[in-house]
Amino acid sequence: TGAQQSVTVANPVSGASPDLLPHFQLEPEDVYIVKNKAVSLACRATPATQIYFKCNGEWVHQGDHVTEHSTDRGTGLPVMEVRIEVTRQQVEKIFGLEEYWCQCVAWSSSGTTKSQKAFVRIAYLRKNFEQEPTAREVSIEQGIVLPCRPPEGIPPAEVEWLRNEELVDPALDANVYVTPEHSLVLRQARLADTANYTCVAKNIVARRRSASAAITVYVNGGWSTWTQWSGCSTSCGRGWQKRSRTCTNPTPLNGGAFCEGQNVQKTACTTLCPVDGAWSEWSKWSVCGAECTHWRSRECSEPAPRNGGRDCHGPELDTRNCTSELCSHAAPGAEDVALYVGLVAVAVCLVLLLLVGVLVYCRKKGGLDADVADSSILTAGFQPVSIKPSKADNPSLLTIQPDLSTATMTYQGSLCPRQDGPAKLQLPNGHLLSPLGAGRHTLHHSSPAAEGADFVARLSTQSYFRSLPRGMTNMAYGTFNFLGGRLMIPNTGISLLIPPDAIPRGKIYEVYLTLHKQEEVRLPLAGCQTLLSPIVSCGPPGVLLTRPAILAMGHCVEASAENWSIRLKKQSCEGTWEDVLQLGTEPCTELYYCQLEAQACYIFTEQLGRFALVGESLSMAACKRLKLVLFAPAACPSLEYNIRVYCLSDTQDVLKEVIQLEKQLGGQLIGAPRVLHFKDSYHNLRLSIHDMPSSLWKSKLLASYQEIPFYHIWSGLQPFLHCTFTLERLSPSTCELACKIWVWQVEGDGQSFTVNFNIAKDTRFSDWLVPDSEVGAPALVGPSAFKIPFLIRQKIISSLDPPGTRGADWRTLAQKLNLDSHLSFFASKPSPTAMILNLWEARHFPNGNLSQLAAAVAEVGKQDGALFAVSEAEC
């Protein structure tokens, strides 16, 4: 045996044929041990007398071989086949030193032959992937590469890909292939490629799956083509037309971006107004013709119909009989007939003239008697008024104490203005008719302690007062005489100034001032119009005022002549709304005038009634001011917490309404109010909340933002709108809230609120809420309603009204007070200086600085040293 083992290299016998060396028909091959299962190695050679296995350089024991002998049928040579088994323990003995291998050695009479080496390895596959695919969002037609590095294993793992648990076969889809590094490549992403992708690694031991990677193929939106321009919004004159497009080419899918830019475009248009035709004057009659007729003609040319206007109605040619000595066909006696007809006509005319004279005489006599009867009211029932200087200990004030406790007067006729004419105009019982009915009315002066309920009860049966709000917070009223006074609705910026001598001497009026809710008074708006101010009533309408009262109220417009056309509207006695003034143009009547400032307007009116300021945008740059206010519950017993974001017109009256509503809801202000400029661009208002600590709070909002439609803000009936963000605390002990709230108009202005406060005890913004008791009495009568003492006012008026030397008159005062743009209006009034001082009173009450006014007056006085010689008592 030892001799046999020493033979390891083929040494053929001298002269022997090499064909007689052993030839392997079967050689051992590489195998893997799976788990603890032994593997078998086999080899077969011919001609062979002996075959043994050598593993890792050592001969395998003869007893471990299984040998089979046979004969090759083709050659007749002997064939020997040998098998051995290799166990996991045998391989593990040398694990880590070198690989385990085995080789066959066959002997014959001519020599030996060795087979190839067969390696025996322990198979395994680790659990963790070296690199897994990750989720991605890609645009359509974009390339995608999903990497995958399978776990380490022997033999190396094969990789395949699953799409939604279905095998991805690159042979069936030319858009997909797998790289040698096992990455899955999608050449161009398609919508159908949106799926969950899984990398699978497997060998003879195990099969491993990676974590699934979600691939989302999104489509960014694209605009469709513009529609045709719409028809002009008006059938006559200047209007608007628009066109639109939709984000459907393509429609955003799977979170793709929405289209950027405007979906609506607007442009101005002008439609030629149709002009109806009208007849010219008739021509002179023609000469009487042979047919005993003559004619005259006219043309449809003054004006001629154009732009679709209607043609003239009626005949173009007029023909009638005539009598003339030239008429050859005249009937006998025609001259006598004409003579008789003329005499009858003269007699009829004389009778008619006599009747008219008698009627005129009777009417004049009756009217004179009525005037004399009514004139008694000018002197009856009034006590003399005493005007005394103030006491010496308070020289800066003037006290005027009229005794009106017993004063009564009668007012006859409708308080609504009547048209001129011989007969009274019968108006329907509309809501703007006189609240005092139609007969003789007694107006009395009540004491300052009279309760408001008496006033409302006295007039509640009248039609106009049925439309007035019953709440006293939106109404002020008082009794006034020639000394004038002031009405104010607290915390709204709305007031009515009745200047001295605006009410005729000898008359007393009960005057009211009312703020209306927009949803209660339907103000029709057309096209691009929007309401810019509160709707305010003062009355009773139709009372006689000899000087304009001044109505002050807030507005929310960023005024500019190129962007806005602003009109003052007044409701007529019939209930229709009429344009009584267009700001920036010469007023068509001297009854109304408006001073528009940054946040308030001052309306001069000699006729009381219901007013509103309405604007029509002329471009997309036109903008309104919105006030943004944040409220939240003052107490939070539950885990839910609501933040209410109000978007309201930037006027004091709307803010007051929101504050009153929140007081009822138990809310508190959680941030300083902000102003946002909202443009007429058809874009909506969006609101979103960000940067909340996810460990303490979570939002219940499903979408990324909330949205308020454009038309709800621009043309809606509600003066304020709000959105609610519902949050949830993850723990009842959480009291600190920190987040950001964004409010912005798409492609427009935006504001950001940084909220950082304690929901249980933070009240730092409570100072922003003005209490209802902050302002004084809503009605001030007589001198107490004015900053300027009465005698000094009269002195200034009498000095500055007449034209002064070197321009020292009311024009210079207007310039000093920056009111020189209104000179034409002031000049149209009997006392321009009184108009200037009245406007100063309306603008600067109650916190006006008299020193500044005095300085302006003194500047005028320097130009004429003798202008102001005011005594110490007058000061």
Side-chain angles (χ1 to χ4, degrees):
T1 302
Q4 292 175 347
Q5 291 176 348
S6 63
V7 180
T8 57
V9 181
N11 293 313
V13 180
S14 175
S17 172
D19 292 335
L20 298 179
L21 290 174
H23 172 69
F24 285 98
Q25 296 179 339
L26 176 66
E27 296 184 81
E29 295 182 349
D30 296 346
V31 291
Y32 296 94
I33 296 177
V34 179
K35 299 182 180 179
N36 294 321
K37 186 177 180 180
V39 296
S40 176
L41 297 177
C43 62
R44 184 171 62 245
T46 182
T49 56
Q50 292 183 4
I51 300 178
Y52 291 98
F53 272 95
K54 179 186 286 187
C55 294
N56 285 80
E58 296 183 0
W59 295 101
V60 178
H61 194 274
Q62 185 176 3
D64 294 334
H65 291 72
V66 177
T67 305
E68 293 182 3
H69 295 276
S70 60
T71 302
D72 191 334
R73 294 180 180 180
T75 61
L77 297 175
V79 178
M80 179 178 287
E81 184 173 346
V82 177
R83 296 178 182 275
I84 63 171
E85 286 192 348
V86 180
T87 64
R88 185 184 184 96
Q89 291 77 9
Q90 290 175 280
V91 176
E92 287 178 342
K93 285 181 181 179
I94 61 169
F95 184 77
L97 300 177
E98 60 177 324
E99 288 191 293
Y100 193 92
W101 56 269
C102 294
Q103 187 179 38
C104 282
V105 181
W107 281 268
S108 69
S109 58
S110 299
T112 61
T113 304
K114 295 180 180 179
S115 71
Q116 64 181 11
K117 288 183 179 181
F119 291 90
V120 181
R121 301 181 177 93
I122 298 176
Y124 67 91
L125 183 63
R126 301 195 184 279
K127 291 184 178 181
N128 296 326
F129 281 75
E130 295 184 8
Q131 184 178 9
E132 292 184 293
T134 55
R136 293 184 59 189
E137 293 182 356
V138 296
S139 175
I140 193 167
E141 297 184 355
Q142 182 181 345
I144 307 175
V145 177
L146 294 176
C148 178
R149 292 171 58 191
E152 180 186 353
I154 296 179
E158 297 178 357
V159 173
E160 62 185 17
W161 286 87
L162 302 180
R163 178 196 288 134
N164 290 341
E165 302 303 322
E166 294 184 2
L167 182 65
V168 177
D169 189 356
L172 301 178
D173 189 350
N175 193 47
V176 178
Y177 71 93
V178 180
T179 66
E181 294 78 21
H182 310 299
S183 297
L184 179 66
V185 177
L186 304 178
R187 291 183 171 91
Q188 287 186 328
R190 304 159 298 189
L191 287 176
D193 293 326
T194 298
N196 292 321
Y197 289 83
T198 308
C199 180
V200 178
K202 61 180 180 179
N203 63 6
I204 59 176
V205 179
R207 187 174 186 266
R208 311 288 188 203
R209 291 167 56 98
S210 71
S212 294
I215 298 299
T216 302
V217 180
Y218 62 85
V219 178
N220 291 327
W223 289 114
S224 65
T225 57
W226 288 103
T227 62
Q228 296 294 325
W229 287 103
S230 66
C232 203
S233 60
T234 59
S235 58
C236 174
R238 193 173 187 277
W240 300 98
Q241 58 183 163
K242 64 180 181 179
R243 63 177 182 174
S244 61
R245 56 181 178 176
T246 57
C247 191
T248 56
N249 187 31
T251 303
L253 293 175
N254 297 337
F258 196 79
C259 303
E260 295 184 358
Q262 302 174 354
N263 65 334
V264 175
Q265 282 186 344
K266 181 174 69 169
T267 185
C269 59
T270 302
T271 304
L272 295 177
C273 299
V275 178
D276 295 337
W279 291 111
S280 64
E281 294 292 331
W282 287 102
S283 66
K284 294 182 178 180
W285 288 101
S286 66
V287 178
C288 194
E291 301 294 330
C292 294
T293 60
H294 60 173
W295 55 268
R296 62 179 179 173
S297 64
R298 57 181 178 175
E299 296 180 351
C300 188
S301 60
E302 292 186 4
R306 61 179 182 271
N307 303 329
R310 290 175 297 183
D311 289 329
C312 302
H313 293 288
E316 186 177 10
L317 189 67
D318 183 19
T319 305
R320 72 180 184 184
N321 293 329
C322 62
T323 57
S324 171
E325 65 276 4
L326 300 179
C327 181
S328 59
H329 300 281
E335 295 86 351
D336 297 337
V337 173
L339 178 60
Y340 296 148
V341 170
L343 292 174
V344 172
V346 170
V348 171
C349 290
L350 290 174
V351 172
L352 290 177
L353 286 174
L354 180 61
L355 290 175
V356 169
V358 172
L359 289 175
V360 170
Y361 173 77
C362 295
R363 189 169 294 247
K364 284 185 177 181
K365 187 176 186 305
L368 179 60
D369 293 340
D371 289 342
V372 172
D374 285 345
S375 65
S376 62
I377 68 173
L378 299 178
T379 58
F382 282 90
Q383 300 294 329
V385 177
S386 61
I387 302 177
K388 301 179 181 179
S390 60
K391 295 181 180 180
D393 56 350
N394 193 358
S396 62
L397 295 177
L398 175 69
T399 303
I400 300 178
Q401 300 292 342
D403 182 8
L404 300 176
S405 58
T406 62
T408 61
M409 66 156 286
T410 58
Y411 174 78
Q412 183 174 7
S414 172
L415 292 182
C416 191
R418 294 186 306 204
Q419 297 179 355
D420 295 334
K424 295 183 179 179
L425 177 64
Q426 298 297 324
L427 294 176
N429 190 21
H431 70 284
L432 273 184
L433 290 179
S434 165
L436 301 179
R440 295 175 60 88
H441 313 290
T442 299
L443 305 183
H444 62 88
H445 178 90
S446 59
S447 65
E451 297 184 1
D454 296 337
F455 177 76
V456 177
R458 199 159 53 247
L459 300 174
S460 60
T461 58
Q462 305 303 325
S463 60
Y464 185 79
F465 272 83
R466 296 191 189 111
S467 67
L468 297 180
R470 293 294 180 262
M472 303 305 295
T473 58
N474 288 332
M475 184 175 181
Y477 48 86
T479 305
F480 301 94
N481 63 358
F482 74 96
L483 294 176
R486 187 188 306 263
L487 292 176
M488 295 173 291
I489 301 178
N491 301 324
T492 62
I494 299 172
S495 66
L496 178 68
L497 178 73
I498 304 173
D501 293 323
I503 297 176
R505 291 177 180 259
K507 294 192 177 184
I508 297 176
Y509 295 155
E510 283 184 332
V511 182
Y512 60 83
L513 180 66
T514 303
L515 168 65
H516 297 274
K517 292 186 177 181
Q518 294 181 22
E519 60 269 23
E520 295 175 354
V521 179
R522 296 301 178 113
L523 174 62
L525 299 175
C528 303
Q529 290 183 342
T530 181
L531 185 63
L532 302 176
S533 73
I535 302 175
V536 178
S537 290
C538 54
V543 297
L544 175 65
L545 293 179
T546 58
R547 295 189 179 183
I550 301 180
L551 176 63
M553 57 185 177
H555 66 79
C556 61
V557 62
E558 287 295 307
S560 60
E562 63 272 13
N563 295 331
W564 283 102
S565 172
I566 302 175
R567 290 176 169 86
L568 177 65
K569 285 183 176 288
K570 180 176 182 290
Q571 198 169 22
S572 68
C573 296
E574 292 80 9
T576 59
W577 286 89
E578 301 172 347
D579 294 342
V580 296
L581 180 66
Q582 181 173 357
L583 277 64
T585 62
E586 285 294 327
C588 58
T589 173
E590 295 181 358
L591 295 177
Y592 308 99
Y593 192 78
C594 183
Q595 156 79 356
L596 186 69
E597 299 189 352
Q599 294 185 335
C601 62
Y602 301 91
I603 302 168
F604 292 78
T605 175
E606 296 182 15
Q607 292 184 355
L608 303 183
R610 185 170 294 169
F611 296 93
L613 208 61
V614 172
E616 180 179 7
S617 63
L618 303 180
S619 71
M620 292 189 187
C623 62
K624 295 171 61 174
R625 292 191 314 275
L626 298 183
K627 180 156 285 186
L628 308 176
V629 192
L630 270 61
F631 281 92
C636 183
S638 64
L639 293 179
E640 282 193 355
Y641 192 72
N642 295 325
I643 296 179
R644 294 181 288 275
V645 183
Y646 287 87
C647 305
L648 50 104
S649 300
D650 186 20
T651 55
Q652 295 182 39
D653 60 292
V654 183
L655 180 60
K656 173 185 176 181
E657 186 176 353
V658 171
I659 291 173
Q660 290 174 340
L661 174 63
E662 280 296 327
K663 284 183 178 179
Q664 297 174 3
L665 297 176
Q668 65 172 340
L669 192 68
I670 63 171
R674 304 284 180 84
V675 173
L676 180 140
H677 293 90
F678 190 77
K679 293 185 177 180
D680 182 19
S681 62
Y682 292 96
H683 288 302
N684 298 339
L685 191 70
R686 291 182 178 176
L687 305 92
S688 61
I689 187 167
H690 308 276
D691 300 344
M692 273 192 311
S694 57
S695 59
L696 302 177
W697 297 84
K698 70 175 182 178
S699 172
K700 290 192 172 183
L701 184 65
L702 299 179
S704 58
Y705 57 83
Q706 299 189 64
E707 199 164 48
I708 300 177
F710 169 82
Y711 288 102
H712 288 188
I713 298 175
W714 197 262
S715 305
L717 295 177
Q718 293 295 335
F720 63 87
L721 301 165
H722 82 276
C723 288
T724 300
F725 292 99
T726 301
L727 313 179
E728 184 177 0
R729 293 184 287 177
L730 301 183
S731 170
S733 61
T734 300
C735 291
E736 296 294 333
L737 174 60
C739 63
K740 284 187 177 181
I741 294 178
W742 285 90
V743 184
W744 76 101
Q745 186 182 17
V746 179
E747 297 188 9
D749 190 19
Q751 289 287 0
S752 170
F753 292 86
T754 300
V755 178
N756 191 348
F757 79 113
N758 188 300
I759 66 175
K761 56 184 180 181
D762 202 334
T763 58
R764 77 183 97 151
F765 296 104
S766 59
D767 294 340
W768 287 90
L769 304 181
V770 181
D772 289 341
S773 60
E774 180 173 308
V775 288
L780 297 174
V781 179
S784 62
F786 305 97
K787 294 285 290 183
I788 307 172
F790 184 82
L791 289 182
I792 293 182
R793 169 189 169 93
Q794 295 302 106
K795 177 69 174 178
I796 296 174
I797 291 173
S798 62
S799 301
L800 294 185
D801 273 350
T805 59
R806 297 190 301 275
D809 55 17
W810 62 270
R811 294 175 180 81
T812 307
L813 179 61
Q815 184 179 6
K816 297 295 182 183
L817 298 178
N818 297 320
L819 299 175
D820 46 340
S821 60
H822 311 300
L823 294 181
S824 59
F825 170 72
F826 296 149
S828 67
K829 299 303 176 184
S831 175
T833 310
M835 295 298 102
I836 296 174
L837 297 181
N838 293 344
L839 180 56
W840 187 92
E841 290 277 6
R843 295 171 66 193
H844 296 90
F845 190 86
N847 302 318
N849 191 337
L850 274 177
S851 300
Q852 294 180 355
L853 177 62
V857 173
E859 289 281 332
V860 180
K862 286 179 182 179
Q863 303 181 37
D864 189 344
L867 185 59
F868 296 107
V870 182
S871 67
E872 213 176 280
E874 290 174 322
C875 294

